[in-house]
Amino acid sequence: MTGVVAAQPAAAADPADYQNVRINEVTSSNSDTVELYNTGSVAVSISGWKMSDDSFSPQSFSPSSSTIPAGGFVTFNSPKGLGDSDKLVIYTAGGTVVDRVEWATNGAKPAMARCGGDGTGGWVTMTVASTFGAPNAAGCPSSTPAASRVRINEVTSSNSDTVELYNGGTSAVGIGAWKYVDNDTTRSPVSISSSSPSATSIPAGGYVTFDSTLGLGDSDSLFLLDGNGNTVDSVTWATDGAKPSAERCADGGGWFRTSTTATLGSANSCSGIGGGSGGGGGRLLGGGGSLTSGCTPEAPSGTGPTPAGTLAWPGGLDVTIADNVCAFTTSTGPEGRDLSGLAFDPANPSVLWAVKNKNWLYKLVKSNGKWIPDASWSATGKQIRFAGGTGQPDSEGLTVGANGHVYVTSERDNANNTVPKNTIMEFDPAATGSTLTPIRQWDMTSQFPQLDTGSKDDANLGFEGVGYVPDSWLTANGWVDPLTGAAYNPAKYPLHGSGLFFAGLEWDGTLHVYGLNSDGTFTTFGTIATGKVSVMDVTFDAGTQRAIATCDNTCGETHTFMKVNADGVIVPDMSYTNPAVMPTDNLEGFAIAPTSTCVGGFREAVWSDDGIYGFGSGTSSYGHALYSGTFPC
């Protein structure tokens, strides 16, 4: 997809984010109030926006706020009165149509609102007083008219300019007198029957398609009106957002996404990367480029269900591909494709550390919205070795300690990959040279005899991630030391520094807690159950005050936030899945930026793909290892 700028955690809208704002409720009684709702994942500035009805030219209005937060509402009173039957059109400061709604006599008394989902539901006349500034559900009737179940389901602005309608209700709906119009406010609505004489009704669970005689632009809107002139549904898309098509995922009720394949007249496939259309519910943006030699994608393996009780992603629904295609190609064989563990540098959050599982370490910085290797450190990454400069660590996880050093886990030596070697290595990133050897190395291999079977698959199920957890969090929350049965006292372990290390075991999803001593020894503080069958990355987030255990597609792409409970035990608190637009791949790395980076209530979250598989061959996410989204502050 081109011409759409990825949503970032900022208060001002980019050129495409206007399409996430929808008229959500209107009343033509007394106050003539209008409510706008932001369906997107980033706040949108509406400064300078205007409105018109069916008789007056666009006029400025005074909203309750000049910015609509993500998932938030703004209200205003119409500068001109709204009639018993009327039309309302909202424009950006530049004159682009954002959304519009029409109603017949008394259709907006006491109010009319979207029911079945703020910003996305069908328009229904309310049966009770308005719900301005709050979700519409409380005012919507318990049962909605059959016509309100009809939705624009797919639109293509390529060649035929075809529209697909879907009836999600339980009875057929006659559409012989229905009309449609695009975002050109000088045009009058056109009858569907004039475009397709056979399109007279839609069966329950069925589809109707017709070709727009108005033509649909690269960036445009489509509004569907019933026989009385009431708006039924609408969709807006930015540049090329409906090429080849924009379709709801799922039929009749899901968010619009740009699809790589049109499925007009049948169930939507939602193939491709997603796009930005119709009130936004998640877009995956960016990408492009060609695969190179040594950068063959690896299909995901081990996909399992999302555990019950997992919550939806709490941050923005938009996700950006955040690296160049095949950016991490190296000299070590065919593994020139992926990244595994990720960690923001808490002392310098403009730096993202990354490790790949064929002994390479990267220092990444942002450039034009993408994470790229810091050329002043190494434009190609630095190769890492075990103590003594030997071997090929199967490096999977990393974290940054209080001393600024990078700690990397390895589950085996790839030079002898049937034998486990579960170690944590400490590297000084200030060390010179293209190859790094650890300052210290701690070997815990003997603790996991179940992995030493002579099988390379079992040897590959060891330390997959590691997170540094400060002592201050453990003591402040009353963590009970498993070795003493009393409150954890860091002074009892004078060589361990100022925090402990939580290593995630892929074998069974447990966290193993260690004090890494400066003399090369270590203290084992036991295990923590995450409630998941596997762990791929571990991080500590000071913003939420939680340790986070990440599991990839094995556990339905989930992140388990761990807390210290009233008994002083670290237990799962809640789990979140990834934004819905993201691929179901071996996403093995996860990091959340520090709260010092927060803008507009959000901060960055980054994921890494251990196989750059994306959504499959031929899509623009194929060949990429990094995805960027947002998480609440």
Side-chain angles (χ1 to χ4, degrees):
M1 179 175 176
T2 60
V4 179
V5 179
Q8 298 294 327
D14 66 38
D17 282 330
Y18 73 85
Q19 65 187 326
N20 292 335
V21 176
R22 317 302 286 167
I23 302 170
N24 200 50
E25 189 173 357
V26 181
T27 176
S28 60
S29 301
N30 302 320
S31 62
D32 296 330
T33 303
V34 178
E35 175 188 83
L36 304 180
Y37 177 74
N38 179 6
T39 66
S41 59
V42 60
V44 176
S45 170
I46 61 171
S47 178
W49 285 24
K50 297 182 179 182
M51 64 152 286
S52 70
D53 73 352
D54 63 358
S55 61
F56 65 81
S57 59
Q59 305 282 323
S60 298
F61 56 85
S62 299
S64 56
S65 172
S66 62
T67 299
I68 313 180
F73 306 86
V74 158
T75 61
F76 64 88
N77 294 332
S78 172
K80 300 284 187 178
L82 297 175
D84 287 345
S85 60
D86 213 335
K87 175 176 69 178
L88 171 67
V89 185
I90 302 295
Y91 309 81
T92 67
T96 300
V97 172
V98 176
D99 197 13
R100 79 184 233 175
V101 62
E102 297 187 32
W103 60 93
T105 303
N106 293 332
K109 286 186 176 181
M112 61 183 296
R114 292 183 182 269
C115 291
D118 287 302
T120 63
W123 283 100
V124 177
T125 298
M126 304 282 268
T127 57
V128 297
S130 61
T131 58
F132 289 110
N136 290 342
C140 289
S142 57
S143 61
T144 56
S148 71
R149 308 293 179 87
V150 175
R151 312 297 293 279
I152 301 170
N153 202 48
E154 187 172 3
V155 179
T156 175
S157 62
S158 300
N159 302 320
S160 61
D161 297 330
T162 304
V163 179
E164 175 191 84
L165 307 181
Y166 174 76
N167 179 8
T170 57
S171 59
V173 175
I175 60 170
W178 286 27
K179 298 180 179 182
Y180 65 94
V181 69
D182 65 359
N183 69 359
D184 186 343
T185 58
T186 66
R187 287 173 167 166
S188 298
V190 175
S191 171
I192 292 176
S193 61
S194 68
S195 302
S196 178
S198 62
T200 58
S201 69
I202 312 179
Y207 307 85
V208 157
T209 63
F210 62 91
D211 293 339
S212 169
T213 61
L214 298 173
L216 297 174
D218 289 343
S219 59
D220 210 336
S221 300
L222 182 74
F223 303 93
L224 179 66
L225 286 67
D226 66 17
N228 295 318
N230 297 315
T231 297
V232 176
D233 196 16
S234 63
V235 57
T236 298
W237 59 93
T239 304
D240 290 341
K243 287 185 176 181
S245 79
E247 58 183 5
R248 291 189 183 272
C249 305
D251 287 319
W255 301 97
F256 272 96
R257 292 173 56 191
T258 299
S259 177
T260 58
T261 304
T263 56
L264 298 162
S266 61
N268 290 342
S269 66
C270 294
S271 61
I273 65 167
S277 52
R283 301 171 293 168
L284 183 58
L285 307 175
S290 301
L291 298 181
T292 62
S293 175
C295 187
T296 304
E298 182 180 49
S301 60
T303 299
T306 301
T310 302
L311 303 176
W313 178 250
L317 300 179
D318 292 352
V319 175
T320 305
I321 294 172
D323 65 338
N324 294 312
V325 67
C326 299
F328 304 102
T329 301
T330 67
S331 60
T332 51
E335 291 287 346
R337 54 179 178 241
D338 53 32
L339 291 177
S340 291
L342 300 173
F344 278 96
D345 191 329
N348 183 7
S350 63
V351 170
L352 178 68
W353 291 99
V355 70
K356 64 183 300 153
N357 59 8
K358 291 296 184 289
N359 60 300
W360 290 85
L361 179 65
Y362 291 88
K363 182 181 181 182
L364 306 179
V365 293
K366 267 289 181 67
S367 176
N368 295 321
K370 294 182 178 180
W371 288 103
I372 66 170
D374 181 356
S376 67
W377 193 76
S378 173
T380 57
K382 294 190 178 186
Q383 203 162 15
I384 59 175
R385 301 293 187 185
F386 288 114
T390 63
Q392 300 173 18
D394 191 5
S395 41
E396 294 278 7
L398 85 165
T399 189
V400 180
N403 57 2
H405 289 181
V406 177
Y407 294 76
V408 177
T409 60
S410 179
E411 52 193 3
R412 57 184 177 174
D413 183 346
N414 280 315
N416 185 17
N417 66 5
T418 64
V419 179
K421 191 175 179 64
N422 288 285
T423 58
I424 302 176
M425 299 165 285
E426 178 185 358
F427 296 96
D428 181 358
T432 58
S434 60
T435 301
L436 299 178
T437 56
I439 297 172
R440 280 176 284 266
Q441 177 174 301
W442 299 269
D443 193 328
M444 295 84 170
T445 306
S446 62
Q447 294 186 348
F448 308 103
Q450 70 271 33
L451 305 179
D452 193 8
T453 63
S455 164
K456 68 177 183 179
D457 292 332
D458 287 344
N460 196 39
L461 296 175
F463 284 168
E464 192 77 8
V466 64
Y468 170 78
V469 179
D471 284 340
S472 57
W473 180 73
L474 296 167
T475 56
N477 288 276
W479 182 55
V480 173
D481 183 344
L483 300 181
T484 66
Y488 172 57
N489 178 12
K492 184 176 177 61
Y493 310 98
L495 300 180
H496 84 290
S498 57
L500 303 182
F501 291 79
F502 288 23
L505 195 69
E506 185 177 3
W507 171 270
D508 61 3
T510 53
L511 301 181
H512 296 256
V513 183
Y514 299 104
L516 303 183
N517 299 322
S518 57
D519 62 359
T521 63
F522 60 89
T523 304
T524 302
F525 290 90
T527 62
I528 298 169
T530 65
K532 300 295 172 60
V533 298
S534 200
V535 171
M536 275 64 183
D537 207 356
V538 185
T539 189
F540 174 78
D541 176 45
T544 57
Q545 288 291 292
R546 294 291 186 270
I548 305 171
T550 289
C551 184
D552 63 0
N553 57 308
T554 306
C555 314
E557 312 284 6
T558 52
H559 310 280
T560 302
F561 285 60
M562 312 288 293
K563 68 176 182 180
V564 182
N565 69 9
D567 295 324
V569 178
I570 298 175
V571 297
D573 184 14
M574 59 188 67
S575 287
Y576 297 110
T577 191
N578 285 340
V581 298
M582 292 188 66
T584 303
D585 284 352
N586 294 140
L587 299 172
E588 295 190 353
F590 178 66
I592 303 177
T595 55
S596 61
T597 64
C598 287
V599 178
F602 289 92
R603 51 197 167 123
E604 187 175 17
V606 186
W607 296 259
S608 62
D609 186 345
D610 190 45
I612 64 166
Y613 197 70
F615 287 92
S617 180
T619 74
S620 63
S621 69
Y622 210 47
H624 294 276
L626 291 175
Y627 298 89
S628 174
T630 58
F631 190 84
C633 291

